[in-house]
Amino acid sequence: MASVTMSKQFTKDIDVDGSLKNRAWDFVRKVMNDPTAPGLHIEPIAGSRDPRVRTGRVNDGYRAVMFLVRDDPEQAYVLAAIKQHDDANRYAERAVLRTNPVNGVLEVLEDIDEQVTGTVSASTPIARQATEPVGPLASFQAMEFEEIGITPRFAAAAIAAADEDALLDALHGAPSWQADVLLSVATGIAIEDALENVGVQRLDKVPRSTDIDTALAQPGSQMDFVTVHSDDALREVLEGPFEAWRTFLHPEQRQYAERRTYNGAFRLRGGAGTGKTVVAIHRARALARRSGSRIVLTTYTTTLAKNLARDLDALDPSVQTGGPVGSDGVVVRGVDKLAREVLYAVDSRVFEKIDSPLLNAGPRGLSPLGDVDDRNLWQDVIDQAGVDLPPELARPDFLRSEYRMVILGQQIDSSATYARAPRPGRGTRLGRAQRLAVWSLVETYRRRLAMKRQASFPELAALAAMALDTHFELTGERLADHVVIDEAQDLHAGHWRLLRALVAEESNDLFICEDSHQRIYGEKVVLSRFGIAVRGRSRRLTLNYRTTAQNLSFAIGLLEGHDVTDLEGEPETMVGYRSLMNGPAPNVVACSSMSDELDEVAARVKAWQTDDALEPHTIGVLARSARTRDLIQRGLTDRGVPVHAVVGDESWTGKAPSLLTMHRAKGLEFRKVILVGIDENQIPSIRALNGMPPDERDDVANRERFLLYVAMTRAREELVLTWHGKPSGFLDPLPTDRGESR
């Protein structure tokens, strides 16, 4: 038997070539069971820098590079890489496995000058330049970084980097903790804070040891290494497409996900791609491992909820899921579906206590009213009532929002209460006469709903919240012990009342993940208005795992100069966001006509599809509206480029590129993305802005800007934007000179 620890690089090498996965799994399993098996051919490399290095046969063309770190009482190996035969031998000659002498973190390095077991000596201070330093780290000295354990060649190269692109190139091959610290400092984070974020301490604060198990216990080591103890654990790491989030959590992510106790609600903020959803899934798993816990894992849409359920199962199939609301284990639901289920889960006596014509007979027979039907119902009410309201107020969009945010959000049940109610988050002022006119429409709307035994989704959330509170009054019980919420920025007032009523106000009650820069559905809310106190229990993730630094910088530029407030009503910032991934600059292409634009998109997609390593569905073509999506599908099909329109809650992994709206792309990622139709009529949507009250237009325009930001950050590697006519005004501050014209 042998102990096996795999590096992140080892798993990445496997994922590059899908044909290697089964052979790699077989190789590792054989090493764990009997490393002396003759078919493995585990051999030392003559003249290697590290005498512990070995290579082993994976198949005829590939060998694994590994280190024998312990031989008694059982062998222990660290697997560093899988490479083609000759490349593996060359890499094995240069590679060194070491415990960082400054902080005890386990590292694999190439071509280092220090002795394997030696200590790092500080470099001679670099003389200050007479001219102003150039580059994000040019004002530092190598000694400052070497003193915290940064490898001298990475410290020197980082300081010499002239810009962020050069810095990313300089950090290629660096251990994850080193790259993260250097990039964090380049964004303005203090060195000590950057070290704390990755859980790295200097040796004067941690025991000095070269023991492999001690080194692996370091949070910084766990960014790059995982030990597997069984076939099941190995299968979890290697089966299916490798996804680092299942195995190599950032120390910050692990800290927030696995913390034993939060003294109340906790809020985790972070930009697109920073891993908030990953933390939410790991948090639900950690809570589920505590006996008897009833956890609800929820998010804004059914599609996103299905993604959460799929990923939770991939993370840990042993977690109990699938039960009804109120059962042990993890219940994963979209928040609107959750509201409907709650009405069936509460004590039946609840409906005798609630004064609502919709629930007098209980929930059976009460059907949800879809978005389009709800909008049409409001329009019918407006047309028939003939109330005296300005045109910008006598609109379904305004009235639906007023009803959702103010009337349902505050559980208002009379015109007198509405006449004096505060209206936080609403830009348009209403006089008393206007409020009475609005209330008259609300009463008609409610009567129409009661007659048909229908309820809008916001109405269902409000009713479920009342039912939960009444259930508690009758039974003294809540239906959940913990609630974990993803994409929290898109929830409305009724949702928050529902979630607050679902769980008792105590430690570990609500775990909230949000990014206010991705608020594309809901209006602005402040959690304290719903009895949810998170002040002092709020943290921010800043390392992006999805998007290249070039795409991230481009997307952040879209938001610069635009004030954003978070769920505490405080200003939110993008300062400190960074990515360790390098790639091409976004390409912005101006076209002469719609036909020309479709030609451009077709040519791009065809070119990408010549790459055999690129799975077709990982190409994403995104449009602002369903109408534009359908037009693109017809145009590309005519040009010999069939694409698959992803609609509803479908999960598409077929043999054609994915075509979908920007809203539908929320929560997804693609290797390559084209955003089509980024012109002045579609972004921001003229339809969304037309007729809005002046005081409401800014918030609608902000949501349109956030939508484009969401779309931009779906791209992992390559991002292209196209338009014809006049470009969207949102592109004005962005470096469109990097693009081209057709």
Side-chain angles (χ1 to χ4, degrees), residues 181-227:
V181 166
L182 289 169
L183 202 57
S184 295
V185 173
T187 66
I189 297 174
I191 290 177
E192 289 299 327
D193 291 339
L195 286 172
E196 182 179 353
N197 288 342
V198 295
V200 170
Q201 298 176 313
R202 305 178 199 231
L203 276 179
D204 58 357
K205 298 179 182 177
V206 297
R208 181 183 295 272
S209 174
T210 58
D211 177 69
I212 187 73
D213 295 325
T214 302
L216 285 170
Q218 294 281 349
S221 301
Q222 293 168 10
M223 296 174 72
D224 277 332
F225 298 94
V226 61
T227 300

Side-chain angles (χ1 to χ4, degrees), residues 299-307 333-335 337 340 649:
T299 187
Y300 182 72
T301 69
T302 298
T303 299
L304 294 176
K306 286 190 173 184
N307 293 344
R333 299 287 189 275
V335 68
K337 186 174 183 180
R340 301 198 301 277
D649 57 7

Side-chain angles (χ1 to χ4, degrees), residues 56 73 152 174 231 240 275 357 359 363 388 431 452 473 482-483 526 569 585 629 652 664 676:
D231 281 3
L359 286 182
D388 186 17
K452 296 183 177 182
E473 293 171 6
H482 315 284
V483 178
V526 177
R629 177 200 64 204
W652 172 248
R664 179 59 182 79
V676 186

Side-chain angles (χ1 to χ4, degrees), residues 458-523:
E459 192 98 44
L460 287 168
L463 292 171
M466 287 190 289
L468 286 166
D469 284 335
T470 307
H471 176 86
F472 178 72
E473 293 171 6
L474 291 170
T475 67
E477 295 181 351
R478 298 289 182 183
L479 292 186
D481 300 311
H482 315 284
V483 178
V484 180
I485 306 150
D486 193 30
E487 302 291 357
Q489 72 280 346
D490 281 323
L491 304 189
H492 57 64
H495 291 147
W496 287 114
R497 290 202 177 278
L498 163 66
L499 297 174
R500 176 67 283 172
L502 194 59
V503 61
E505 191 172 349
E506 56 189 16
S507 61
N508 295 334
D509 53 355
L510 297 166
F511 190 94
I512 302 163
C513 299
E514 68 123 341
D515 176 14
S516 293
H517 297 97
Q518 294 190 70
R519 180 173 60 85
I520 62 175
Y521 293 107
E523 300 90 353

Side-chain angles (χ1 to χ4, degrees), residues 314-378:
L315 174 65
D316 190 346
S318 70
V319 172
Q320 180 181 343
T321 59
V325 174
S327 62
D328 289 348
V330 182
V331 173
V332 188
R333 299 287 189 275
V335 68
D336 287 325
K337 186 174 183 180
L338 178 66
R340 301 198 301 277
E341 291 191 19
V342 159
L343 292 174
Y344 287 91
V346 295
D347 191 295
S348 60
R349 294 173 293 166
V350 161
F351 306 114
E352 301 170 6
K353 302 281 187 180
I354 295 179
D355 183 19
S356 168
L358 289 174
L359 286 182
N360 286 345
R364 298 196 180 280
L366 183 62
S367 61
L369 189 66
D371 185 73
V372 173
D373 290 337
D374 186 49
R375 192 183 302 273
N376 291 338
L377 177 57
W378 277 109

Side-chain angles (χ1 to χ4, degrees), residues 577-600:
Y577 283 120
R578 63 205 186 279
S579 170
L580 296 177
M581 295 183 291
N582 213 348
N587 204 332
V588 183
V589 184
C591 302
S592 60
S593 65
M594 185 69 210
S595 178
D596 189 37
E597 189 171 359
L598 288 168
D599 288 343
E600 171 68 21

Side-chain angles (χ1 to χ4, degrees), residues 280-295:
I281 293 167
H282 278 266
R283 182 63 180 171
R285 177 207 200 189
L287 292 168
R289 288 181 166 182
R290 302 173 190 175
S291 177
S293 289
R294 301 168 300 163
I295 301 109

Side-chain angles (χ1 to χ4, degrees), residues 102-418:
V102 176
N103 51 47
V105 175
L106 193 67
E107 301 171 325
V108 175
L109 298 169
E110 286 187 77
D111 299 323
I112 65 169
D113 296 327
E114 302 98 308
Q115 295 294 321
V116 174
T117 57
T119 58
V120 176
S121 59
S123 297
T124 303
I126 297 174
R128 295 295 185 189
Q129 302 294 322
T131 58
E132 287 295 317
V134 176
L137 292 174
S139 61
F140 290 86
Q141 295 186 8
M143 177 177 62
E144 296 176 82
F145 293 133
E146 292 177 31
E147 285 177 342
I148 64 172
I150 303 294
T151 306
R153 70 182 177 92
F154 290 127
I159 289 170
D163 53 31
E164 185 178 344
D165 288 357
L167 177 58
L168 288 167
D169 287 336
L171 298 180
H172 179 71
S176 293
W177 80 267
Q178 294 194 30
D180 194 355
V181 166
L182 289 169
L183 202 57
S184 295
V185 173
T187 66
I189 297 174
I191 290 177
E192 289 299 327
D193 291 339
L195 286 172
E196 182 179 353
N197 288 342
V198 295
V200 170
Q201 298 176 313
R202 305 178 199 231
L203 276 179
D204 58 357
K205 298 179 182 177
V206 297
R208 181 183 295 272
S209 174
T210 58
D211 177 69
I212 187 73
D213 295 325
T214 302
L216 285 170
Q218 294 281 349
S221 301
Q222 293 168 10
M223 296 174 72
D224 277 332
F225 298 94
V226 61
T227 300
V228 292
H229 300 284
S230 66
D231 281 3
D232 287 343
L234 176 62
R235 193 175 289 111
E236 284 185 22
V237 175
L238 296 184
E239 273 197 347
F242 169 69
E243 293 169 305
W245 65 267
R246 289 163 46 192
T247 308
F248 301 101
L249 280 184
H250 189 283
E252 270 193 300
Q253 293 176 324
R254 190 178 300 279
Q255 171 193 349
Y256 300 138
E258 298 180 359
R259 179 171 172 169
R260 186 72 188 174
T261 303
Y262 292 99
N263 296 320
F266 175 79
R267 184 170 69 101
L268 184 65
R269 303 132 56 208
T274 54
K276 301 178 299 301
T277 299
V278 168
V279 176
I281 293 167
H282 278 266
R283 182 63 180 171
R285 177 207 200 189
L287 292 168
R289 288 181 166 182
R290 302 173 190 175
S291 177
S293 289
R294 301 168 300 163
I295 301 109
V296 170
L297 175 59
T298 189
T299 187
Y300 182 72
T301 69
T302 298
T303 299
L304 294 176
K306 286 190 173 184
N307 293 344
L308 290 176
R310 177 201 63 207
D311 290 345
L312 177 60
D313 183 65
L315 174 65
D316 190 346
S318 70
V319 172
Q320 180 181 343
T321 59
V325 174
S327 62
D328 289 348
V330 182
V331 173
V332 188
R333 299 287 189 275
V335 68
D336 287 325
K337 186 174 183 180
L338 178 66
R340 301 198 301 277
E341 291 191 19
V342 159
L343 292 174
Y344 287 91
V346 295
D347 191 295
S348 60
R349 294 173 293 166
V350 161
F351 306 114
E352 301 170 6
K353 302 281 187 180
I354 295 179
D355 183 19
S356 168
L358 289 174
L359 286 182
N360 286 345
R364 298 196 180 280
L366 183 62
S367 61
L369 189 66
D371 185 73
V372 173
D373 290 337
D374 186 49
R375 192 183 302 273
N376 291 338
L377 177 57
W378 277 109
Q379 188 62 60
D380 288 344
V381 169
I382 294 166
D383 293 341
Q384 294 176 19
V387 295
D388 186 17
L389 280 174
E392 65 269 18
L393 302 184
R395 299 176 65 251
D397 285 341
F398 174 81
L399 292 169
R400 294 174 79 212
S401 185
E402 182 76 6
Y403 186 56
R404 180 170 60 240
M405 292 183 68
V406 180
I407 296 171
L408 292 176
Q410 299 180 44
Q411 298 178 334
I412 294 172
D413 58 5
S414 71
S415 60
T417 304
Y418 178 56

